[in-house]
Amino acid sequence: MKDIQTLLHDYGPLLVFANVLLEQAGLPLPAYPILIVAGAMAVHGDMAWQAVLLAAVVGSLIADSAWYHGGKRYGGGLLGTVCRVSLSRDSCIRQTQSLYLRTGPAILLVAKFLPGASALSTVMSGLTRLPMRRFLAFDAAGTVLWAGSAMIIGAVFNDMLGQVLDTLGRYGGYGLGALGVVLALYLAYRVFRRRFTIAHLSHVPRVTLDELDAWRAAREDGCDVVLLDVRAGGEDPMPGAIMFDPRDPIVTQPHAWPLDARIVVYCACPDEISAAVLAAKLKKAGYRNTWALAGGYNAWLERNRRQQAANDSDAGVGAAPAA
């Protein structure tokens, strides 16, 4: 408690600004405790609460704007990168997209209260091309709610705060040790579960983009080719793809397509997990030819980027210099 108070006395709102900026940028430096202490100090007149709140809002807006522009420029690729820290990366991407598409920018009002949701929601704001002004308005309001709640807690419990933190200082090591053991066991369980899922779905065949293109172009054997997109939202789908919800009851009803149709499922998730899960369900329902697209949607985007770069390069080489 004294250490935090000393730092706040020395650096004031600048410390709050830096802490919030670094936390929202993705570093594991929680700003909520400092905001609580700042709220307690504001009650005693040691700090101006307006300056603390302003520092938190400015720091948050700078970091979140970077995530926003990253999502706008790099799209699902950045979302996948953020979700790589999750033990369930495939479900992380889909759940994030589903939640944002259901709630819209209103999720920014509470995102900072939800572990890991802040960066994901700001990336989704850029990915969905939310207007910058609306993004800043919702994000600033959410930051005021988040930082303000911490300062209110500090103000209300300012007399008890020192005692609580001193007690944590004396006995907190034992609690942290126990928490560390529980967390390690949980992480081990989730890693094992993910590896088991990947191994369990390894029997689902993959098809490459080139093979898929050949099937759709030839159709020499008369079999239909069905391309299913299981991404949440499904912005800019692959040509000819059908948006499909994996929870749709049609999965267990083999009547939508011919049973001998070639069904290719794609997602925007690591290891094609979501696509492989649906392909396996369709196989079980009676569809004899089901595949997951190797590399998924991101592989298709990457191929398009390479082709565009090659076309631009050829156009530059073939252009005649002006006389």
Side-chain angles (χ1 to χ4, degrees), residues 87-126:
L87 293 174
S88 300
R89 291 175 289 175
D90 43 291
S91 60
C92 168
I93 295 173
R94 183 170 184 83
Q95 289 171 3
T96 298
Q97 292 174 330
S98 298
L99 178 62
Y100 189 90
L101 292 172
R102 287 199 307 269
T103 62
I107 188 62
L108 295 170
L109 297 175
V110 297
K112 288 179 172 55
F113 293 97
L114 307 174
S118 182
L120 292 170
S121 60
T122 52
V123 171
M124 279 298 301
S125 297

PDB file of all heavy atoms in Angstrom, residues 87-126:
ATOM      1  N   LEU A  87      -6.324 -20.901 -24.906  1.00  0.00           N
ATOM      2  CA  LEU A  87      -6.140 -22.346 -25.025  1.00  0.00           C
ATOM      3  C   LEU A  87      -7.152 -22.956 -25.981  1.00  0.00           C
ATOM      4  O   LEU A  87      -6.985 -24.085 -26.423  1.00  0.00           O
ATOM      5  CB  LEU A  87      -6.270 -22.997 -23.638  1.00  0.00           C
ATOM      6  CG  LEU A  87      -5.156 -22.641 -22.649  1.00  0.00           C
ATOM      7  CD1 LEU A  87      -5.466 -23.221 -21.286  1.00  0.00           C
ATOM      8  CD2 LEU A  87      -3.818 -23.127 -23.134  1.00  0.00           C
ATOM      9  N   SER A  88      -8.219 -22.219 -26.276  1.00  0.00           N
ATOM     10  CA  SER A  88      -9.223 -22.674 -27.239  1.00  0.00           C
ATOM     11  C   SER A  88      -9.306 -21.626 -28.339  1.00  0.00           C
ATOM     12  O   SER A  88     -10.265 -20.863 -28.441  1.00  0.00           O
ATOM     13  CB  SER A  88     -10.590 -22.852 -26.552  1.00  0.00           C
ATOM     14  OG  SER A  88     -10.502 -23.802 -25.519  1.00  0.00           O
ATOM     15  N   ARG A  89      -8.271 -21.575 -29.160  1.00  0.00           N
ATOM     16  CA  ARG A  89      -8.159 -20.494 -30.125  1.00  0.00           C
ATOM     17  C   ARG A  89      -9.296 -20.496 -31.131  1.00  0.00           C
ATOM     18  O   ARG A  89      -9.797 -19.446 -31.518  1.00  0.00           O
ATOM     19  CB  ARG A  89      -6.814 -20.584 -30.849  1.00  0.00           C
ATOM     20  CG  ARG A  89      -5.635 -20.266 -29.967  1.00  0.00           C
ATOM     21  CD  ARG A  89      -4.330 -20.496 -30.691  1.00  0.00           C
ATOM     22  NE  ARG A  89      -4.082 -21.917 -30.883  1.00  0.00           N
ATOM     23  CZ  ARG A  89      -3.066 -22.401 -31.577  1.00  0.00           C
ATOM     24  NH1 ARG A  89      -2.216 -21.597 -32.163  1.00  0.00           N
ATOM     25  NH2 ARG A  89      -2.887 -23.705 -31.688  1.00  0.00           N
ATOM     26  N   ASP A  90      -9.712 -21.696 -31.577  1.00  0.00           N
ATOM     27  CA  ASP A  90     -10.768 -21.757 -32.573  1.00  0.00           C
ATOM     28  C   ASP A  90     -12.084 -21.228 -32.022  1.00  0.00           C
ATOM     29  O   ASP A  90     -12.773 -20.438 -32.655  1.00  0.00           O
ATOM     30  CB  ASP A  90     -10.944 -23.200 -33.065  1.00  0.00           C
ATOM     31  CG  ASP A  90     -10.895 -24.197 -31.923  1.00  0.00           C
ATOM     32  OD1 ASP A  90      -9.808 -24.375 -31.343  1.00  0.00           O
ATOM     33  OD2 ASP A  90     -11.936 -24.778 -31.593  1.00  0.00           O
ATOM     34  N   SER A  91     -12.443 -21.662 -30.784  1.00  0.00           N
ATOM     35  CA  SER A  91     -13.679 -21.169 -30.179  1.00  0.00           C
ATOM     36  C   SER A  91     -13.549 -19.709 -29.781  1.00  0.00           C
ATOM     37  O   SER A  91     -14.528 -18.966 -29.781  1.00  0.00           O
ATOM     38  CB  SER A  91     -14.052 -22.010 -28.953  1.00  0.00           C
ATOM     39  OG  SER A  91     -13.034 -21.953 -27.971  1.00  0.00           O
ATOM     40  N   CYS A  92     -12.340 -19.261 -29.460  1.00  0.00           N
ATOM     41  CA  CYS A  92     -12.115 -17.853 -29.124  1.00  0.00           C
ATOM     42  C   CYS A  92     -12.518 -16.963 -30.285  1.00  0.00           C
ATOM     43  O   CYS A  92     -13.246 -15.969 -30.104  1.00  0.00           O
ATOM     44  CB  CYS A  92     -10.644 -17.630 -28.760  1.00  0.00           C
ATOM     45  SG  CYS A  92     -10.142 -15.888 -28.643  1.00  0.00           S
ATOM     46  N   ILE A  93     -12.079 -17.302 -31.484  1.00  0.00           N
ATOM     47  CA  ILE A  93     -12.399 -16.491 -32.653  1.00  0.00           C
ATOM     48  C   ILE A  93     -13.898 -16.485 -32.910  1.00  0.00           C
ATOM     49  O   ILE A  93     -14.522 -15.435 -33.073  1.00  0.00           O
ATOM     50  CB  ILE A  93     -11.649 -17.006 -33.885  1.00  0.00           C
ATOM     51  CG1 ILE A  93     -10.137 -16.816 -33.697  1.00  0.00           C
ATOM     52  CG2 ILE A  93     -12.121 -16.308 -35.143  1.00  0.00           C
ATOM     53  CD1 ILE A  93      -9.306 -17.448 -34.786  1.00  0.00           C
ATOM     54  N   ARG A  94     -14.493 -17.667 -32.917  1.00  0.00           N
ATOM     55  CA  ARG A  94     -15.920 -17.757 -33.227  1.00  0.00           C
ATOM     56  C   ARG A  94     -16.768 -17.084 -32.164  1.00  0.00           C
ATOM     57  O   ARG A  94     -17.713 -16.358 -32.472  1.00  0.00           O
ATOM     58  CB  ARG A  94     -16.317 -19.231 -33.380  1.00  0.00           C
ATOM     59  CG  ARG A  94     -17.776 -19.370 -33.768  1.00  0.00           C
ATOM     60  CD  ARG A  94     -18.161 -20.775 -34.156  1.00  0.00           C
ATOM     61  NE  ARG A  94     -19.537 -20.779 -34.602  1.00  0.00           N
ATOM     62  CZ  ARG A  94     -19.923 -20.464 -35.818  1.00  0.00           C
ATOM     63  NH1 ARG A  94     -19.026 -20.143 -36.721  1.00  0.00           N
ATOM     64  NH2 ARG A  94     -21.191 -20.456 -36.157  1.00  0.00           N
ATOM     65  N   GLN A  95     -16.462 -17.302 -30.888  1.00  0.00           N
ATOM     66  CA  GLN A  95     -17.255 -16.706 -29.819  1.00  0.00           C
ATOM     67  C   GLN A  95     -17.117 -15.191 -29.808  1.00  0.00           C
ATOM     68  O   GLN A  95     -18.083 -14.466 -29.540  1.00  0.00           O
ATOM     69  CB  GLN A  95     -16.842 -17.296 -28.474  1.00  0.00           C
ATOM     70  CG  GLN A  95     -17.265 -18.743 -28.295  1.00  0.00           C
ATOM     71  CD  GLN A  95     -16.662 -19.380 -27.051  1.00  0.00           C
ATOM     72  OE1 GLN A  95     -15.966 -18.730 -26.274  1.00  0.00           O
ATOM     73  NE2 GLN A  95     -16.927 -20.659 -26.854  1.00  0.00           N
ATOM     74  N   THR A  96     -15.901 -14.695 -30.092  1.00  0.00           N
ATOM     75  CA  THR A  96     -15.704 -13.248 -30.139  1.00  0.00           C
ATOM     76  C   THR A  96     -16.536 -12.631 -31.245  1.00  0.00           C
ATOM     77  O   THR A  96     -17.217 -11.618 -31.046  1.00  0.00           O
ATOM     78  CB  THR A  96     -14.215 -12.924 -30.365  1.00  0.00           C
ATOM     79  OG1 THR A  96     -13.450 -13.420 -29.266  1.00  0.00           O
ATOM     80  CG2 THR A  96     -14.006 -11.423 -30.482  1.00  0.00           C
ATOM     81  N   GLN A  97     -16.494 -13.241 -32.428  1.00  0.00           N
ATOM     82  CA  GLN A  97     -17.272 -12.715 -33.542  1.00  0.00           C
ATOM     83  C   GLN A  97     -18.769 -12.786 -33.249  1.00  0.00           C
ATOM     84  O   GLN A  97     -19.501 -11.822 -33.518  1.00  0.00           O
ATOM     85  CB  GLN A  97     -16.937 -13.494 -34.811  1.00  0.00           C
ATOM     86  CG  GLN A  97     -15.523 -13.271 -35.306  1.00  0.00           C
ATOM     87  CD  GLN A  97     -15.167 -14.159 -36.485  1.00  0.00           C
ATOM     88  OE1 GLN A  97     -15.686 -15.269 -36.621  1.00  0.00           O
ATOM     89  NE2 GLN A  97     -14.282 -13.684 -37.349  1.00  0.00           N
ATOM     90  N   SER A  98     -19.231 -13.900 -32.691  1.00  0.00           N
ATOM     91  CA  SER A  98     -20.655 -14.058 -32.392  1.00  0.00           C
ATOM     92  C   SER A  98     -21.120 -13.034 -31.372  1.00  0.00           C
ATOM     93  O   SER A  98     -22.178 -12.408 -31.525  1.00  0.00           O
ATOM     94  CB  SER A  98     -20.932 -15.475 -31.875  1.00  0.00           C
ATOM     95  OG  SER A  98     -20.626 -16.442 -32.841  1.00  0.00           O
ATOM     96  N   LEU A  99     -20.332 -12.848 -30.299  1.00  0.00           N
ATOM     97  CA  LEU A  99     -20.705 -11.906 -29.248  1.00  0.00           C
ATOM     98  C   LEU A  99     -20.772 -10.486 -29.789  1.00  0.00           C
ATOM     99  O   LEU A  99     -21.729  -9.751 -29.514  1.00  0.00           O
ATOM    100  CB  LEU A  99     -19.698 -11.991 -28.095  1.00  0.00           C
ATOM    101  CG  LEU A  99     -19.930 -11.020 -26.925  1.00  0.00           C
ATOM    102  CD1 LEU A  99     -21.274 -11.297 -26.273  1.00  0.00           C
ATOM    103  CD2 LEU A  99     -18.809 -11.133 -25.899  1.00  0.00           C
ATOM    104  N   TYR A 100     -19.778 -10.102 -30.581  1.00  0.00           N
ATOM    105  CA  TYR A 100     -19.767  -8.731 -31.095  1.00  0.00           C
ATOM    106  C   TYR A 100     -20.913  -8.504 -32.073  1.00  0.00           C
ATOM    107  O   TYR A 100     -21.552  -7.443 -32.057  1.00  0.00           O
ATOM    108  CB  TYR A 100     -18.423  -8.428 -31.771  1.00  0.00           C
ATOM    109  CG  TYR A 100     -18.279  -6.959 -32.122  1.00  0.00           C
ATOM    110  CD1 TYR A 100     -17.714  -6.076 -31.210  1.00  0.00           C
ATOM    111  CD2 TYR A 100     -18.715  -6.468 -33.344  1.00  0.00           C
ATOM    112  CE1 TYR A 100     -17.588  -4.719 -31.515  1.00  0.00           C
ATOM    113  CE2 TYR A 100     -18.594  -5.121 -33.654  1.00  0.00           C
ATOM    114  CZ  TYR A 100     -18.027  -4.257 -32.742  1.00  0.00           C
ATOM    115  OH  TYR A 100     -17.923  -2.919 -33.045  1.00  0.00           O
ATOM    116  N   LEU A 101     -21.192  -9.485 -32.919  1.00  0.00           N
ATOM    117  CA  LEU A 101     -22.262  -9.321 -33.894  1.00  0.00           C
ATOM    118  C   LEU A 101     -23.625  -9.285 -33.225  1.00  0.00           C
ATOM    119  O   LEU A 101     -24.565  -8.677 -33.746  1.00  0.00           O
ATOM    120  CB  LEU A 101     -22.203 -10.452 -34.923  1.00  0.00           C
ATOM    121  CG  LEU A 101     -20.973 -10.418 -35.844  1.00  0.00           C
ATOM    122  CD1 LEU A 101     -20.911 -11.673 -36.687  1.00  0.00           C
ATOM    123  CD2 LEU A 101     -20.997  -9.180 -36.734  1.00  0.00           C
ATOM    124  N   ARG A 102     -23.759  -9.922 -32.048  1.00  0.00           N
ATOM    125  CA  ARG A 102     -25.027  -9.865 -31.315  1.00  0.00           C
ATOM    126  C   ARG A 102     -25.202  -8.540 -30.588  1.00  0.00           C
ATOM    127  O   ARG A 102     -26.294  -7.985 -30.553  1.00  0.00           O
ATOM    128  CB  ARG A 102     -25.112 -11.013 -30.293  1.00  0.00           C
ATOM    129  CG  ARG A 102     -25.342 -12.385 -30.896  1.00  0.00           C
ATOM    130  CD  ARG A 102     -25.860 -13.361 -29.847  1.00  0.00           C
ATOM    131  NE  ARG A 102     -25.010 -13.400 -28.674  1.00  0.00           N
ATOM    132  CZ  ARG A 102     -23.990 -14.226 -28.500  1.00  0.00           C
ATOM    133  NH1 ARG A 102     -23.692 -15.084 -29.471  1.00  0.00           N
ATOM    134  NH2 ARG A 102     -23.276 -14.219 -27.392  1.00  0.00           N
ATOM    135  N   THR A 103     -24.138  -8.033 -29.979  1.00  0.00           N
ATOM    136  CA  THR A 103     -24.249  -6.851 -29.131  1.00  0.00           C
ATOM    137  C   THR A 103     -23.848  -5.565 -29.830  1.00  0.00           C
ATOM    138  O   THR A 103     -24.272  -4.481 -29.425  1.00  0.00           O
ATOM    139  CB  THR A 103     -23.378  -7.011 -27.881  1.00  0.00           C
ATOM    140  OG1 THR A 103     -21.999  -7.144 -28.265  1.00  0.00           O
ATOM    141  CG2 THR A 103     -23.783  -8.252 -27.094  1.00  0.00           C
ATOM    142  N   GLY A 104     -23.008  -5.663 -30.857  1.00  0.00           N
ATOM    143  CA  GLY A 104     -22.500  -4.472 -31.513  1.00  0.00           C
ATOM    144  C   GLY A 104     -21.520  -3.725 -30.626  1.00  0.00           C
ATOM    145  O   GLY A 104     -20.965  -4.281 -29.671  1.00  0.00           O
ATOM    146  N   PRO A 105     -21.307  -2.433 -30.892  1.00  0.00           N
ATOM    147  CA  PRO A 105     -20.320  -1.669 -30.123  1.00  0.00           C
ATOM    148  C   PRO A 105     -20.671  -1.512 -28.647  1.00  0.00           C
ATOM    149  O   PRO A 105     -19.819  -1.081 -27.869  1.00  0.00           O
ATOM    150  CB  PRO A 105     -20.300  -0.312 -30.839  1.00  0.00           C
ATOM    151  CG  PRO A 105     -21.597  -0.224 -31.568  1.00  0.00           C
ATOM    152  CD  PRO A 105     -21.936  -1.630 -31.952  1.00  0.00           C
ATOM    153  N   ALA A 106     -21.892  -1.867 -28.255  1.00  0.00           N
ATOM    154  CA  ALA A 106     -22.262  -1.775 -26.841  1.00  0.00           C
ATOM    155  C   ALA A 106     -21.374  -2.658 -25.969  1.00  0.00           C
ATOM    156  O   ALA A 106     -21.230  -2.400 -24.767  1.00  0.00           O
ATOM    157  CB  ALA A 106     -23.731  -2.151 -26.649  1.00  0.00           C
ATOM    158  N   ILE A 107     -20.762  -3.689 -26.552  1.00  0.00           N
ATOM    159  CA  ILE A 107     -19.875  -4.563 -25.776  1.00  0.00           C
ATOM    160  C   ILE A 107     -18.691  -3.775 -25.233  1.00  0.00           C
ATOM    161  O   ILE A 107     -18.100  -4.138 -24.212  1.00  0.00           O
ATOM    162  CB  ILE A 107     -19.385  -5.741 -26.645  1.00  0.00           C
ATOM    163  CG1 ILE A 107     -18.622  -6.785 -25.817  1.00  0.00           C
ATOM    164  CG2 ILE A 107     -18.509  -5.248 -27.775  1.00  0.00           C
ATOM    165  CD1 ILE A 107     -19.429  -7.434 -24.752  1.00  0.00           C
ATOM    166  N   LEU A 108     -18.340  -2.663 -25.886  1.00  0.00           N
ATOM    167  CA  LEU A 108     -17.209  -1.856 -25.427  1.00  0.00           C
ATOM    168  C   LEU A 108     -17.476  -1.230 -24.068  1.00  0.00           C
ATOM    169  O   LEU A 108     -16.543  -0.837 -23.369  1.00  0.00           O
ATOM    170  CB  LEU A 108     -16.900  -0.758 -26.451  1.00  0.00           C
ATOM    171  CG  LEU A 108     -16.423  -1.234 -27.826  1.00  0.00           C
ATOM    172  CD1 LEU A 108     -16.390  -0.073 -28.812  1.00  0.00           C
ATOM    173  CD2 LEU A 108     -15.043  -1.869 -27.716  1.00  0.00           C
ATOM    174  N   LEU A 109     -18.737  -1.123 -23.682  1.00  0.00           N
ATOM    175  CA  LEU A 109     -19.076  -0.532 -22.389  1.00  0.00           C
ATOM    176  C   LEU A 109     -18.662  -1.425 -21.221  1.00  0.00           C
ATOM    177  O   LEU A 109     -18.413  -0.932 -20.119  1.00  0.00           O
ATOM    178  CB  LEU A 109     -20.579  -0.245 -22.315  1.00  0.00           C
ATOM    179  CG  LEU A 109     -21.133   0.766 -23.328  1.00  0.00           C
ATOM    180  CD1 LEU A 109     -22.635   0.852 -23.212  1.00  0.00           C
ATOM    181  CD2 LEU A 109     -20.492   2.133 -23.117  1.00  0.00           C
ATOM    182  N   VAL A 110     -18.599  -2.728 -21.463  1.00  0.00           N
ATOM    183  CA  VAL A 110     -18.281  -3.655 -20.365  1.00  0.00           C
ATOM    184  C   VAL A 110     -17.055  -4.517 -20.664  1.00  0.00           C
ATOM    185  O   VAL A 110     -16.668  -5.338 -19.833  1.00  0.00           O
ATOM    186  CB  VAL A 110     -19.484  -4.583 -20.068  1.00  0.00           C
ATOM    187  CG1 VAL A 110     -20.673  -3.778 -19.584  1.00  0.00           C
ATOM    188  CG2 VAL A 110     -19.871  -5.411 -21.297  1.00  0.00           C
ATOM    189  N   ALA A 111     -16.436  -4.324 -21.829  1.00  0.00           N
ATOM    190  CA  ALA A 111     -15.350  -5.216 -22.247  1.00  0.00           C
ATOM    191  C   ALA A 111     -14.182  -5.204 -21.270  1.00  0.00           C
ATOM    192  O   ALA A 111     -13.537  -6.226 -21.047  1.00  0.00           O
ATOM    193  CB  ALA A 111     -14.866  -4.832 -23.645  1.00  0.00           C
ATOM    194  N   LYS A 112     -13.892  -4.071 -20.666  1.00  0.00           N
ATOM    195  CA  LYS A 112     -12.727  -3.980 -19.780  1.00  0.00           C
ATOM    196  C   LYS A 112     -12.948  -4.706 -18.456  1.00  0.00           C
ATOM    197  O   LYS A 112     -11.998  -4.949 -17.713  1.00  0.00           O
ATOM    198  CB  LYS A 112     -12.373  -2.507 -19.531  1.00  0.00           C
ATOM    199  CG  LYS A 112     -11.764  -1.856 -20.757  1.00  0.00           C
ATOM    200  CD  LYS A 112     -11.436  -0.407 -20.535  1.00  0.00           C
ATOM    201  CE  LYS A 112     -10.661   0.148 -21.724  1.00  0.00           C
ATOM    202  NZ  LYS A 112     -11.359  -0.047 -23.008  1.00  0.00           N
ATOM    203  N   PHE A 113     -14.184  -5.056 -18.153  1.00  0.00           N
ATOM    204  CA  PHE A 113     -14.468  -5.843 -16.963  1.00  0.00           C
ATOM    205  C   PHE A 113     -14.306  -7.344 -17.225  1.00  0.00           C
ATOM    206  O   PHE A 113     -14.301  -8.140 -16.281  1.00  0.00           O
ATOM    207  CB  PHE A 113     -15.891  -5.581 -16.463  1.00  0.00           C
ATOM    208  CG  PHE A 113     -16.124  -4.193 -15.950  1.00  0.00           C
ATOM    209  CD1 PHE A 113     -16.684  -3.219 -16.762  1.00  0.00           C
ATOM    210  CD2 PHE A 113     -15.769  -3.847 -14.654  1.00  0.00           C
ATOM    211  CE1 PHE A 113     -16.897  -1.939 -16.295  1.00  0.00           C
ATOM    212  CE2 PHE A 113     -15.973  -2.563 -14.173  1.00  0.00           C
ATOM    213  CZ  PHE A 113     -16.539  -1.596 -14.997  1.00  0.00           C
ATOM    214  N   LEU A 114     -14.192  -7.730 -18.496  1.00  0.00           N
ATOM    215  CA  LEU A 114     -14.127  -9.142 -18.869  1.00  0.00           C
ATOM    216  C   LEU A 114     -12.701  -9.489 -19.277  1.00  0.00           C
ATOM    217  O   LEU A 114     -12.157  -8.877 -20.194  1.00  0.00           O
ATOM    218  CB  LEU A 114     -15.078  -9.426 -20.035  1.00  0.00           C
ATOM    219  CG  LEU A 114     -16.524  -8.969 -19.840  1.00  0.00           C
ATOM    220  CD1 LEU A 114     -17.321  -9.179 -21.122  1.00  0.00           C
ATOM    221  CD2 LEU A 114     -17.168  -9.718 -18.682  1.00  0.00           C
ATOM    222  N   PRO A 115     -12.075 -10.463 -18.622  1.00  0.00           N
ATOM    223  CA  PRO A 115     -10.676 -10.799 -18.939  1.00  0.00           C
ATOM    224  C   PRO A 115     -10.488 -11.144 -20.408  1.00  0.00           C
ATOM    225  O   PRO A 115     -11.165 -12.009 -20.956  1.00  0.00           O
ATOM    226  CB  PRO A 115     -10.408 -12.025 -18.041  1.00  0.00           C
ATOM    227  CG  PRO A 115     -11.395 -11.902 -16.917  1.00  0.00           C
ATOM    228  CD  PRO A 115     -12.623 -11.282 -17.539  1.00  0.00           C
ATOM    229  N   GLY A 116      -9.563 -10.440 -21.050  1.00  0.00           N
ATOM    230  CA  GLY A 116      -9.225 -10.729 -22.432  1.00  0.00           C
ATOM    231  C   GLY A 116     -10.167 -10.168 -23.465  1.00  0.00           C
ATOM    232  O   GLY A 116      -9.898 -10.253 -24.673  1.00  0.00           O
ATOM    233  N   ALA A 117     -11.289  -9.584 -23.019  1.00  0.00           N
ATOM    234  CA  ALA A 117     -12.302  -9.138 -23.982  1.00  0.00           C
ATOM    235  C   ALA A 117     -12.007  -7.766 -24.558  1.00  0.00           C
ATOM    236  O   ALA A 117     -12.512  -7.429 -25.630  1.00  0.00           O
ATOM    237  CB  ALA A 117     -13.685  -9.125 -23.329  1.00  0.00           C
ATOM    238  N   SER A 118     -11.199  -6.965 -23.879  1.00  0.00           N
ATOM    239  CA  SER A 118     -10.981  -5.590 -24.321  1.00  0.00           C
ATOM    240  C   SER A 118     -10.311  -5.538 -25.692  1.00  0.00           C
ATOM    241  O   SER A 118     -10.813  -4.899 -26.624  1.00  0.00           O
ATOM    242  CB  SER A 118     -10.139  -4.836 -23.291  1.00  0.00           C
ATOM    243  OG  SER A 118      -9.965  -3.489 -23.680  1.00  0.00           O
ATOM    244  N   ALA A 119      -9.159  -6.212 -25.834  1.00  0.00           N
ATOM    245  CA  ALA A 119      -8.456  -6.191 -27.115  1.00  0.00           C
ATOM    246  C   ALA A 119      -9.296  -6.842 -28.211  1.00  0.00           C
ATOM    247  O   ALA A 119      -9.345  -6.349 -29.343  1.00  0.00           O
ATOM    248  CB  ALA A 119      -7.106  -6.889 -26.987  1.00  0.00           C
ATOM    249  N   LEU A 120      -9.970  -7.937 -27.896  1.00  0.00           N
ATOM    250  CA  LEU A 120     -10.765  -8.636 -28.896  1.00  0.00           C
ATOM    251  C   LEU A 120     -11.905  -7.756 -29.403  1.00  0.00           C
ATOM    252  O   LEU A 120     -12.188  -7.720 -30.605  1.00  0.00           O
ATOM    253  CB  LEU A 120     -11.321  -9.932 -28.305  1.00  0.00           C
ATOM    254  CG  LEU A 120     -10.287 -11.015 -27.986  1.00  0.00           C
ATOM    255  CD1 LEU A 120     -10.924 -12.133 -27.186  1.00  0.00           C
ATOM    256  CD2 LEU A 120      -9.676 -11.566 -29.261  1.00  0.00           C
ATOM    257  N   SER A 121     -12.580  -7.045 -28.493  1.00  0.00           N
ATOM    258  CA  SER A 121     -13.710  -6.221 -28.910  1.00  0.00           C
ATOM    259  C   SER A 121     -13.253  -5.018 -29.723  1.00  0.00           C
ATOM    260  O   SER A 121     -13.935  -4.607 -30.672  1.00  0.00           O
ATOM    261  CB  SER A 121     -14.504  -5.758 -27.680  1.00  0.00           C
ATOM    262  OG  SER A 121     -13.690  -5.000 -26.802  1.00  0.00           O
ATOM    263  N   THR A 122     -12.081  -4.453 -29.384  1.00  0.00           N
ATOM    264  CA  THR A 122     -11.592  -3.321 -30.175  1.00  0.00           C
ATOM    265  C   THR A 122     -11.119  -3.774 -31.557  1.00  0.00           C
ATOM    266  O   THR A 122     -11.320  -3.070 -32.548  1.00  0.00           O
ATOM    267  CB  THR A 122     -10.452  -2.599 -29.430  1.00  0.00           C
ATOM    268  OG1 THR A 122      -9.452  -3.543 -29.037  1.00  0.00           O
ATOM    269  CG2 THR A 122     -10.962  -1.897 -28.192  1.00  0.00           C
ATOM    270  N   VAL A 123     -10.510  -4.945 -31.638  1.00  0.00           N
ATOM    271  CA  VAL A 123     -10.131  -5.491 -32.944  1.00  0.00           C
ATOM    272  C   VAL A 123     -11.373  -5.733 -33.798  1.00  0.00           C
ATOM    273  O   VAL A 123     -11.397  -5.414 -34.996  1.00  0.00           O
ATOM    274  CB  VAL A 123      -9.325  -6.792 -32.778  1.00  0.00           C
ATOM    275  CG1 VAL A 123      -9.129  -7.485 -34.129  1.00  0.00           C
ATOM    276  CG2 VAL A 123      -7.962  -6.511 -32.159  1.00  0.00           C
ATOM    277  N   MET A 124     -12.427  -6.279 -33.184  1.00  0.00           N
ATOM    278  CA  MET A 124     -13.671  -6.518 -33.915  1.00  0.00           C
ATOM    279  C   MET A 124     -14.302  -5.211 -34.379  1.00  0.00           C
ATOM    280  O   MET A 124     -14.925  -5.160 -35.451  1.00  0.00           O
ATOM    281  CB  MET A 124     -14.654  -7.297 -33.049  1.00  0.00           C
ATOM    282  CG  MET A 124     -14.406  -8.797 -33.011  1.00  0.00           C
ATOM    283  SD  MET A 124     -14.549  -9.581 -34.637  1.00  0.00           S
ATOM    284  CE  MET A 124     -16.238  -9.174 -35.085  1.00  0.00           C
ATOM    285  N   SER A 125     -14.152  -4.141 -33.606  1.00  0.00           N
ATOM    286  CA  SER A 125     -14.686  -2.841 -34.016  1.00  0.00           C
ATOM    287  C   SER A 125     -14.024  -2.386 -35.311  1.00  0.00           C
ATOM    288  O   SER A 125     -14.688  -1.866 -36.216  1.00  0.00           O
ATOM    289  CB  SER A 125     -14.455  -1.801 -32.918  1.00  0.00           C
ATOM    290  OG  SER A 125     -15.150  -2.135 -31.736  1.00  0.00           O
ATOM    291  N   GLY A 126     -12.713  -2.575 -35.404  1.00  0.00           N
ATOM    292  CA  GLY A 126     -12.026  -2.230 -36.639  1.00  0.00           C
ATOM    293  C   GLY A 126     -12.362  -3.178 -37.768  1.00  0.00           C
ATOM    294  O   GLY A 126     -12.541  -2.755 -38.919  1.00  0.00           O
TER     295      GLY A 126
END
